Amino acid sequence: MNESAVKKIVVLTSGGDAPGMNAALRAVVRTASHYNIDCYGIREGFNGLINNDFTKMGPRSVKHIISEGGTILRSARSLQFKTPEGRKKAYENCLQHGIEGIVCIGGDGTFRGAKVFYEEYGIKVIGVPGTIDNDIFGTDNTIGYDTALNTAMDAIDKIRDTATSHNRVFFVEVMGRDAGFIALNSGLATGAIDILIPERKDSIEELFATFERAEKAGKSSSIVVVAEGERMGSIYDIAKATQNSFPQYDIRVAVLGHIQRGGSPSCADRVLASRLGYGAVVGLMEGKTNVMVGMQSNRMVYTAIEEAIKKHNEIDQDLLKISEILAI
Amino acid sequence: MNESAVKKIVVLTSGGDAPGMNAALRAVVRTASHYNIDCYGIREGFNGLINNDFTKMGPRSVKHIISEGGTILRSARSLQFKTPEGRKKAYENCLQHGIEGIVCIGGDGTFRGAKVFYEEYGIKVIGVPGTIDNDIFGTDNTIGYDTALNTAMDAIDKIRDTATSHNRVFFVEVMGRDAGFIALNSGLATGAIDILIPERKDSIEELFATFERAEKAGKSSSIVVVAEGERMGSIYDIAKATQNSFPQYDIRVAVLGHIQRGGSPSCADRVLASRLGYGAVVGLMEGKTNVMVGMQSNRMVYTAIEEAIKKHNEIDQDLLKISEILAI
Amino acid sequence: MNESAVKKIVVLTSGGDAPGMNAALRAVVRTASHYNIDCYGIREGFNGLINNDFTKMGPRSVKHIISEGGTILRSARSLQFKTPEGRKKAYENCLQHGIEGIVCIGGDGTFRGAKVFYEEYGIKVIGVPGTIDNDIFGTDNTIGYDTALNTAMDAIDKIRDTATSHNRVFFVEVMGRDAGFIALNSGLATGAIDILIPERKDSIEELFATFERAEKAGKSSSIVVVAEGERMGSIYDIAKATQNSFPQYDIRVAVLGHIQRGGSPSCADRVLASRLGYGAVVGLMEGKTNVMVGMQSNRMVYTAIEEAIKKHNEIDQDLLKISEILAI
Amino acid sequence: MNESAVKKIVVLTSGGDAPGMNAALRAVVRTASHYNIDCYGIREGFNGLINNDFTKMGPRSVKHIISEGGTILRSARSLQFKTPEGRKKAYENCLQHGIEGIVCIGGDGTFRGAKVFYEEYGIKVIGVPGTIDNDIFGTDNTIGYDTALNTAMDAIDKIRDTATSHNRVFFVEVMGRDAGFIALNSGLATGAIDILIPERKDSIEELFATFERAEKAGKSSSIVVVAEGERMGSIYDIAKATQNSFPQYDIRVAVLGHIQRGGSPSCADRVLASRLGYGAVVGLMEGKTNVMVGMQSNRMVYTAIEEAIKKHNEIDQDLLKISEILAI
């Protein structure tokens, strides 16, 4: 490898936490160490840049964290960093430490902040997609998404036990913000009779028709998975409307909530996070900036941050169709 | 063993389902088979007695179910069985099949039904305590309780990851109806700073004092576990009051809900269910009736159903004290 | 869709079982039902074809199996099917039932049998890659591989606890036959200091050098993951050689074994299996034969069985390098 | 509470590690802090006493460890502490720090060392039973036992999937040293057709008779759980003898090994460890010495170390009988 374009970098985690952020952090720190690049950890996202919360990190600082959920650097959404004054302070602290590159692990809010900072002050930035929502363009999967799928699936499997024992109908809300990836995949994986996601225009009539088909097919218990971003209404409204039309049903609502953000990362997430953490440091060394590192079709790919934010991974229409065919 | 007091029995699961009900059912069926007693499974609790839904069961009918959550016989709360007419019909069906004993797996509602039926018609009944709430007198643990504890704990561990990553305060509601066993044990096991249970008079002032102590001790994230039966108010009200007094906190509420009823039973629950299922059949064979079988201090014990319903397992005051000492 | 090329099909699972085979089976049966194609399940792989063990399956035959490990059709390696007489009998049974297509879920041994049968008798065959080893060409992942990775990782995480508590060195053998995919990915995901796989020429000297580097770096416990197909020698020999050169080490060997084949499939495996089961039926309907259905870069792809058997997925050299950089 | 008998204590973990040791350690440190007692952690068991490896611990030193397997203090079997010279050095270090009490978390080897040390030098010692084997008298359960049961059960459940898919017979070895508790309970919980434990005189003829009964009853796959301390011979010998007598069986051996020592502790283990850690400190404060703290029938009990070592928890004969009745 040629001379590295950076000699001192920082790494931070920002936005909603996701399983595998620690694994990515470990990869950043150890790759930097391997190539003799100084690496500082910044606590609580961009706030740490502003508050001058820099800690030198070495290979042993990140031992055993590959299996841990959350992020040892902690995360935060920084209001100050949205102000010119905040960013100026952050820049001055970077300057003081001689920082030449910043690895930002997080979602699109994080990337927006990084982009503005680069454009204003010229310190190289590279994004690592860490979010359970899988809503970032430029990578097949985001870090944390696979773990969240398994967590949601395990929870719905448990609910299935009690649904079946009581001939009940459960509406289960899963996370994903404006994206339906978690809903579609966890719903397919748990045999949900219907899956309501924001990417598709759902209607209450179609839902009711599905219930009728399920009943005709002899299903005695049913689960409907609802994405938190579903646009038809809140899960409680949908459940209530269903109860009104099917008074004979014993209906329950379950909101899975924050358990989906935690837990030890899956193997796929640890491997993905390791690759992307490595790729981020190598990208900076090669002089890349204002890009996000991702994996597409098993190859490392760098996408302009602007593009990563603007575009979106699209829901697979085939998968939607398959989920309908297999449900009943 | 002397001549058995019964030659034909039925088994049913009733009330809220609990992990391990299938393991108990398997034990009933196989023990009956071992002692050459005919055994019928009744579907959907007492409803099945009324609807004449009897199925002959043998050792192979229950294969592989020891590891499955829920109950293959399904469960229900029967309104009809609360009427004299419903019970009369159930009796006539039992008479027709020559049934001499009934094993009822469930909670106190189930036991109440069994008791009335025995007193009216004289068919021997024996209760097996299956409920995650652990609120039945006459057994150290009920079937499903240990599994529910582990499920709640795993979920709270996951929430801890995200709480720590964001310096957040989480209020987590766990099940248990009027009893605080799940809350106390899962809260202790996850390092909750406070545990709110119906067995103790909690006050919002004490809760606030705990937050202040936690902060002073340097805790940066906090979890409060709240029993669903907590009498101080709903978890949302408590969270709101806390937010008002501590506006700087980033507070979230999580209601774990029905995941706590499902899942493959723990080893302790499978062993307990196996013992109690065996004990139920042996009890009937020995002529026992109107009793519940339980395990106390590792010995099998039969308690009058009346007593099992009226009395309650008490929360361990030492454990409460220990949880406070260790929390911060 | 045009007229289907097949109206009656069978489905079987063969070779080593893998988590997700049941999910694939469910998808085959429900897709067939959706398109009004008769579908029979064959028990115990090709043996069932020979023994005329055909069972008509409908949507309810496969309820709740999406979450179950193993295969409800059971699997077997059939010696009889390797003989012309065995295949003749299988053909006669297919003829008698009017079978026009066969879905074979399994690994390369299974595909070889299917290919010969098609070439001899002309009944359409399609392969679905179900094996934990991930050694099949024509699909990014095989069904069961992701689950096996997580199972191996969880086991190694547990071993890590005891390794760290005692400053021990553990050699852990994982499955994968001639392929190192499970070893490389589970080793990377658990922070193994070295990973020995058959695709790379390893030497005992390099291993010893790694131990020395690890020690110098301050690591107090170490895990080496060894693929079962490693060509340097048995795991016991490697451990013994290490002990001789590092008498101060407290060395243990752990062979993970058959736990890697079982368990409830991961979300990724359930989704993959659902897609491929669907794709197999649609492929037959479109007249495809002698091919395997796979997913590559998130698209469904049909590969000639001959090619799927002959070629192999290659170990990612980047991943090998990353695992070395991050290990210590 | 009266004046405490101790003002400065140490805590150490020794012998084989067990899940929940960290939870016990946390309880010791926080209870000591609560009662204003100085507490030092000793690394690597008695070795740390000899090597003067004392670290002052406070409530924050043990944060988040309640959920972690292994022991952050590390464990070791100390040869030096078995010599008078080693113990003299340990005493001098204790004297220098003003240590008045020692909490020893471990098994019977640990307790033997503590007892000798107390008898020679008069520093108060109290034992906390931490071992997965459950072979300590004076407590219903040892710390780590419940977690090990669940780990063994989960592994055998996975093996069951593959056993059933292939009509195989599996011999599975579980840990427990000279005791059969893990084997009996995990075998019962997984429906093993036979369970071989050192507490009962097993014979190969009885095992063969069991296989014949299982076959007659229509079981198509079978699991035999073997305790590592089984006296009939090694698991490989038993498997080989079975193969010779039943050549038609497809037999496999699985040794679960060290995964049984690791993993995040179960809720029951975390609660037990918390109680016993608390009880150890309170015991020392009340002037107790040369005793072990345990839980019997849900009450805290102190047993002379001598008795805890000499006597043994007995295998429950009823449970053995029940496991046989339910197996087939």
Side-chain angles (χ1 to χ4, degrees):
Chain A
M1 202 177 275
N2 296 330
E3 180 78 3
S4 168
V6 294
K7 283 291 174 198
K8 259 192 188 174
I9 64 171
V10 300
V11 55
L12 56 82
T13 53
S14 167
D17 63 315
M21 280 186 161
N22 276 326
L25 169 62
R26 170 182 179 268
V28 169
V29 171
R30 292 205 172 166
T31 304
S33 162
H34 180 80
Y35 290 116
N36 295 311
I37 293 168
D38 279 354
C39 182
Y40 294 82
I42 304 298
R43 241 182 293 267
E44 305 195 359
F46 294 118
N47 283 340
L49 282 183
I50 298 170
N51 303 330
N52 207 8
D53 196 348
F54 289 54
T55 310
K56 187 75 185 292
M57 298 188 86
R60 300 270 72 69
S61 325
V62 292
K63 72 174 177 179
H64 298 330
I65 69 169
I66 195 171
S67 61
E68 284 177 27
T71 154
I72 61 167
L73 288 180
R74 303 190 176 206
S75 184
R77 292 190 172 83
S78 173
L79 292 177
Q80 269 194 282
F81 199 73
K82 294 192 169 171
T83 67
E85 297 74 31
R87 291 194 296 272
K88 182 150 183 286
K89 227 167 145 194
Y91 172 66
E92 287 164 358
N93 289 327
C94 287
L95 206 61
Q96 182 203 325
H97 284 87
I99 301 305
E100 298 165 307
I102 305 178
V103 178
C104 301
I105 306 171
D108 52 8
T110 306
F111 296 166
R112 254 181 226 108
K115 183 171 176 290
V116 170
F117 193 63
Y118 170 70
E119 288 165 358
E120 287 178 352
Y121 295 106
I123 297 185
K124 290 183 175 59
V125 298
I126 196 159
V128 175
T131 162
I132 63 168
D133 303 330
N134 204 36
D135 57 350
I136 306 284
F137 182 80
T139 192
D140 292 341
N141 288 333
T142 54
I143 297 168
Y145 170 57
D146 183 66
T147 306
L149 284 183
N150 283 315
T151 301
M153 180 188 77
D154 286 346
I156 303 175
D157 276 353
K158 287 192 169 70
I159 289 172
R160 166 77 65 191
D161 286 340
T162 190
T164 305
S165 299
H166 285 282
N167 299 342
R168 271 180 185 152
V169 172
F170 267 88
F171 288 86
V172 182
E173 184 183 293
V174 298
M175 282 187 164
R177 293 196 309 165
D178 295 336
F181 293 101
I182 296 179
L184 176 54
N185 283 272
S186 68
L188 175 53
T190 55
I193 62 160
D194 211 344
I195 301 167
L196 307 179
I197 56 174
E199 287 88 346
R200 180 176 55 180
K201 213 178 148 355
D202 300 304
S203 78
I204 198 83
E205 290 74 27
E206 284 168 300
L207 175 62
F208 291 175
T210 301
F211 277 119
E212 273 153 15
R213 268 194 305 132
E215 214 168 305
K216 217 171 287 171
K219 287 198 80 129
S220 52
S221 70
S222 296
I223 285 172
V224 176
V225 172
V226 184
E228 66 174 329
E230 166 62 21
R231 293 170 303 167
M232 206 166 78
S234 90
I235 192 170
Y236 296 101
D237 294 340
I238 298 169
K240 207 173 162 186
T242 306
Q243 187 73 82
N244 286 341
S245 290
F246 298 86
Q248 74 280 22
Y249 286 4
D250 185 4
I251 295 180
R252 293 286 190 282
V253 169
V255 177
L256 296 188
H258 280 84
I259 58 169
Q260 296 164 86
R261 293 203 173 281
S264 181
S266 69
C267 190
D269 268 332
R270 296 188 196 181
V271 171
L272 175 64
S274 297
R275 300 184 103 155
L276 296 185
Y278 165 85
V281 175
V282 168
L284 285 175
M285 289 170 64
E286 294 171 348
K288 292 193 170 67
T289 182
N290 218 4
V291 297
M292 185 196 81
V293 60
M295 292 296 299
Q296 287 184 322
S297 302
N298 217 27
R299 269 168 323 150
M300 209 168 287
V301 175
Y302 297 89
T303 304
I305 280 187
E306 181 149 20
E307 205 182 353
I309 294 170
K310 271 202 193 144
K311 296 189 187 170
H312 285 286
N313 281 336
E314 305 231 328
I315 282 284
D316 190 316
Q317 294 299 322
D318 281 354
L319 204 54
L320 261 177
K321 186 180 161 191
I322 292 173
S323 80
E324 281 166 29
I325 289 177
L326 303 189
I328 295 173
Chain B
M1 198 177 275
N2 294 332
E3 181 77 5
S4 167
V6 294
K7 285 289 174 196
K8 259 192 187 174
I9 64 172
V10 299
V11 55
L12 57 83
T13 53
S14 166
D17 63 314
M21 279 186 161
N22 276 326
L25 169 62
R26 169 181 178 270
V28 168
V29 171
R30 292 205 172 164
T31 304
S33 163
H34 179 80
Y35 289 118
N36 296 312
I37 293 169
D38 280 353
C39 182
Y40 294 82
I42 305 298
R43 241 181 293 266
E44 304 196 358
F46 293 119
N47 283 340
L49 283 182
I50 296 170
N51 303 332
N52 206 9
D53 195 348
F54 289 57
T55 309
K56 188 76 184 293
M57 298 186 87
R60 300 272 71 70
S61 327
V62 292
K63 72 174 176 177
H64 296 330
I65 68 170
I66 195 171
S67 61
E68 286 176 26
T71 154
I72 60 167
L73 288 181
R74 305 193 172 202
S75 184
R77 290 191 174 83
S78 173
L79 293 177
Q80 268 194 283
F81 199 72
K82 292 191 171 172
T83 67
E85 297 73 32
R87 292 194 297 273
K88 183 150 182 283
K89 225 165 146 195
Y91 173 66
E92 287 164 357
N93 289 327
C94 287
L95 205 62
Q96 182 203 322
H97 285 87
I99 301 306
E100 297 165 309
I102 305 178
V103 178
C104 301
I105 306 171
D108 53 8
T110 305
F111 297 167
R112 253 180 227 109
K115 183 172 176 290
V116 171
F117 192 63
Y118 170 69
E119 288 166 0
E120 286 179 354
Y121 295 106
I123 298 185
K124 289 182 176 59
V125 298
I126 196 157
V128 174
T131 161
I132 63 167
D133 304 330
N134 204 35
D135 58 349
I136 306 285
F137 182 82
T139 192
D140 292 342
N141 288 333
T142 54
I143 297 168
Y145 169 57
D146 183 66
T147 305
L149 283 183
N150 283 316
T151 301
M153 180 188 78
D154 286 344
I156 304 174
D157 276 354
K158 287 193 170 71
I159 289 172
R160 167 76 67 192
D161 285 340
T162 190
T164 306
S165 299
H166 285 282
N167 298 342
R168 272 182 185 151
V169 172
F170 268 89
F171 287 86
V172 183
E173 183 183 292
V174 299
M175 282 187 163
R177 291 198 309 167
D178 294 336
F181 293 101
I182 296 179
L184 176 53
N185 283 272
S186 67
L188 174 53
T190 54
I193 64 159
D194 211 344
I195 301 168
L196 307 179
I197 56 174
E199 288 88 346
R200 179 177 57 179
K201 213 178 148 354
D202 301 304
S203 78
I204 199 81
E205 290 75 27
E206 285 168 299
L207 175 62
F208 291 174
T210 301
F211 277 118
E212 273 153 14
R213 268 193 305 131
E215 214 169 304
K216 216 171 288 172
K219 287 198 79 129
S220 53
S221 70
S222 296
I223 285 172
V224 177
V225 172
V226 183
E228 67 175 328
E230 166 62 20
R231 293 171 304 167
M232 206 166 80
S234 90
I235 191 170
Y236 296 101
D237 294 341
I238 299 169
K240 205 172 164 188
T242 306
Q243 187 73 84
N244 286 341
S245 290
F246 299 86
Q248 75 277 25
Y249 285 5
D250 184 4
I251 295 180
R252 293 287 189 283
V253 169
V255 177
L256 296 188
H258 280 84
I259 58 169
Q260 296 165 87
R261 293 204 172 281
S264 180
S266 69
C267 190
D269 268 332
R270 296 188 196 181
V271 170
L272 175 64
S274 297
R275 299 184 103 155
L276 296 185
Y278 165 85
V281 174
V282 168
L284 285 176
M285 288 170 64
E286 293 170 348
K288 291 191 172 66
T289 183
N290 218 4
V291 296
M292 184 197 79
V293 60
M295 292 295 299
Q296 287 184 320
S297 303
N298 217 25
R299 269 170 322 150
M300 209 168 286
V301 175
Y302 297 89
T303 305
I305 280 185
E306 180 148 24
E307 205 181 351
I309 295 170
K310 272 202 192 144
K311 297 188 186 170
H312 286 285
N313 281 337
E314 307 231 326
I315 283 284
D316 191 314
Q317 294 299 322
D318 282 354
L319 203 54
L320 262 178
K321 187 180 161 190
I322 291 172
S323 79
E324 281 167 28
I325 290 176
L326 302 189
I328 297 172
Chain C
M1 199 176 276
N2 296 331
E3 181 76 3
S4 167
V6 294
K7 283 290 172 196
K8 258 191 187 175
I9 63 172
V10 299
V11 55
L12 56 82
T13 53
S14 166
D17 63 315
M21 280 185 162
N22 276 326
L25 170 63
R26 170 182 179 269
V28 168
V29 171
R30 292 205 173 165
T31 303
S33 163
H34 179 79
Y35 289 117
N36 296 311
I37 293 169
D38 279 353
C39 183
Y40 293 82
I42 305 298
R43 241 181 291 268
E44 305 196 358
F46 294 119
N47 283 340
L49 283 184
I50 297 170
N51 304 330
N52 206 8
D53 195 348
F54 288 56
T55 309
K56 187 76 183 292
M57 299 187 86
R60 301 269 72 68
S61 326
V62 291
K63 72 174 176 177
H64 297 332
I65 68 169
I66 195 170
S67 61
E68 285 176 27
T71 155
I72 62 167
L73 288 182
R74 303 188 175 207
S75 185
R77 290 190 174 83
S78 173
L79 293 178
Q80 268 194 283
F81 198 72
K82 293 191 170 171
T83 67
E85 296 74 31
R87 291 194 296 273
K88 181 149 184 285
K89 227 166 144 193
Y91 173 66
E92 287 164 357
N93 290 327
C94 286
L95 205 63
Q96 181 203 323
H97 284 87
I99 301 307
E100 297 165 307
I102 305 178
V103 179
C104 301
I105 306 171
D108 52 8
T110 306
F111 295 167
R112 254 181 226 107
K115 183 171 177 291
V116 171
F117 192 62
Y118 170 69
E119 288 166 359
E120 286 179 352
Y121 294 106
I123 298 184
K124 290 183 174 60
V125 299
I126 197 160
V128 175
T131 162
I132 63 168
D133 303 330
N134 203 36
D135 57 350
I136 307 284
F137 182 80
T139 192
D140 291 342
N141 288 333
T142 54
I143 298 168
Y145 170 57
D146 184 67
T147 306
L149 284 183
N150 283 316
T151 300
M153 180 188 77
D154 286 345
I156 304 174
D157 276 354
K158 288 191 168 70
I159 289 172
R160 167 77 66 189
D161 285 340
T162 191
T164 306
S165 299
H166 285 281
N167 299 343
R168 272 180 185 151
V169 173
F170 267 89
F171 287 86
V172 182
E173 184 184 293
V174 298
M175 282 188 164
R177 293 196 309 164
D178 293 337
F181 293 100
I182 296 179
L184 175 55
N185 283 273
S186 67
L188 174 53
T190 55
I193 63 159
D194 211 344
I195 301 169
L196 306 180
I197 56 173
E199 288 88 346
R200 180 175 55 179
K201 211 176 150 355
D202 300 304
S203 78
I204 199 81
E205 289 75 27
E206 285 169 301
L207 176 62
F208 291 174
T210 301
F211 276 118
E212 272 153 16
R213 269 194 305 132
E215 214 169 303
K216 218 171 287 172
K219 288 199 79 130
S220 52
S221 69
S222 296
I223 285 172
V224 177
V225 172
V226 184
E228 67 175 329
E230 165 63 20
R231 292 171 304 167
M232 205 166 80
S234 91
I235 192 170
Y236 296 101
D237 293 340
I238 299 169
K240 205 172 163 189
T242 306
Q243 188 72 84
N244 286 341
S245 290
F246 298 86
Q248 75 277 22
Y249 284 5
D250 184 4
I251 295 180
R252 292 288 190 283
V253 169
V255 176
L256 296 188
H258 280 84
I259 58 169
Q260 295 165 87
R261 294 203 172 280
S264 182
S266 70
C267 190
D269 269 331
R270 296 188 197 181
V271 171
L272 175 65
S274 297
R275 299 185 104 155
L276 296 186
Y278 164 85
V281 175
V282 168
L284 285 176
M285 288 170 64
E286 293 170 348
K288 292 193 171 66
T289 184
N290 217 5
V291 296
M292 184 196 81
V293 59
M295 292 296 298
Q296 287 184 322
S297 302
N298 217 25
R299 270 169 321 150
M300 209 167 287
V301 175
Y302 297 89
T303 304
I305 281 187
E306 181 148 23
E307 206 182 352
I309 295 170
K310 271 201 193 144
K311 297 187 187 171
H312 285 285
N313 281 335
E314 307 230 327
I315 283 284
D316 191 315
Q317 293 300 323
D318 281 354
L319 204 54
L320 261 178
K321 186 180 162 191
I322 292 173
S323 79
E324 281 167 29
I325 290 177
L326 303 188
I328 294 172
Chain D
M1 201 177 275
N2 295 331
E3 180 78 5
S4 168
V6 294
K7 284 289 175 197
K8 259 193 188 172
I9 64 172
V10 299
V11 55
L12 56 83
T13 52
S14 167
D17 63 315
M21 280 186 161
N22 276 327
L25 169 62
R26 170 182 179 269
V28 168
V29 171
R30 292 205 172 165
T31 303
S33 162
H34 179 82
Y35 289 117
N36 296 312
I37 292 167
D38 280 354
C39 182
Y40 294 82
I42 304 298
R43 241 181 293 267
E44 304 195 0
F46 294 118
N47 283 341
L49 283 183
I50 296 170
N51 303 331
N52 207 10
D53 194 348
F54 289 54
T55 309
K56 188 73 185 293
M57 298 186 88
R60 299 271 71 71
S61 328
V62 292
K63 73 173 175 178
H64 298 330
I65 68 170
I66 194 171
S67 61
E68 285 176 27
T71 155
I72 61 167
L73 288 181
R74 305 191 173 205
S75 185
R77 292 189 173 83
S78 173
L79 292 177
Q80 268 194 285
F81 199 73
K82 292 191 171 172
T83 67
E85 296 73 31
R87 291 193 297 272
K88 183 150 182 286
K89 227 167 145 194
Y91 172 66
E92 287 164 357
N93 289 328
C94 287
L95 205 63
Q96 182 203 322
H97 284 89
I99 302 306
E100 297 165 308
I102 305 177
V103 178
C104 301
I105 306 172
D108 52 8
T110 306
F111 296 167
R112 253 180 226 109
K115 182 172 178 289
V116 170
F117 192 64
Y118 170 69
E119 287 166 0
E120 286 179 354
Y121 294 106
I123 297 185
K124 288 183 176 58
V125 298
I126 196 159
V128 175
T131 162
I132 63 167
D133 303 330
N134 204 35
D135 59 347
I136 306 283
F137 183 80
T139 192
D140 292 342
N141 288 333
T142 53
I143 297 167
Y145 169 57
D146 183 65
T147 305
L149 284 183
N150 283 316
T151 301
M153 180 187 77
D154 286 344
I156 303 174
D157 276 354
K158 286 192 170 71
I159 289 172
R160 166 77 66 191
D161 285 340
T162 190
T164 305
S165 298
H166 285 283
N167 299 342
R168 273 179 184 152
V169 172
F170 267 89
F171 288 86
V172 183
E173 184 183 293
V174 298
M175 283 188 161
R177 291 197 311 168
D178 295 337
F181 292 102
I182 296 179
L184 176 54
N185 283 272
S186 67
L188 174 53
T190 54
I193 63 159
D194 211 344
I195 301 167
L196 307 179
I197 56 174
E199 288 88 346
R200 179 177 56 180
K201 214 178 148 350
D202 300 304
S203 79
I204 198 82
E205 289 75 25
E206 284 169 300
L207 175 62
F208 291 175
T210 301
F211 276 119
E212 272 154 14
R213 268 194 305 133
E215 214 169 303
K216 217 172 287 172
K219 287 197 80 130
S220 52
S221 70
S222 296
I223 285 172
V224 176
V225 172
V226 184
E228 66 174 330
E230 166 63 18
R231 294 172 303 168
M232 206 166 80
S234 90
I235 192 170
Y236 295 101
D237 293 341
I238 299 169
K240 205 172 163 187
T242 306
Q243 188 73 83
N244 286 339
S245 291
F246 297 86
Q248 75 278 23
Y249 285 5
D250 184 5
I251 295 179
R252 293 287 189 284
V253 169
V255 176
L256 296 188
H258 280 83
I259 59 169
Q260 297 165 86
R261 293 204 173 281
S264 181
S266 70
C267 190
D269 268 332
R270 295 188 196 181
V271 171
L272 175 65
S274 297
R275 300 185 103 156
L276 297 185
Y278 165 85
V281 175
V282 168
L284 285 176
M285 290 170 64
E286 293 170 349
K288 292 191 171 67
T289 183
N290 218 4
V291 296
M292 183 196 81
V293 61
M295 293 295 300
Q296 287 183 322
S297 304
N298 217 26
R299 268 168 324 149
M300 209 169 285
V301 175
Y302 297 88
T303 304
I305 280 186
E306 180 150 21
E307 205 181 349
I309 295 170
K310 270 202 194 145
K311 296 189 187 170
H312 285 285
N313 280 336
E314 307 230 327
I315 283 284
D316 190 315
Q317 293 300 322
D318 281 353
L319 204 54
L320 261 177
K321 187 180 159 189
I322 291 172
S323 79
E324 281 167 28
I325 289 176
L326 302 189
I328 296 172

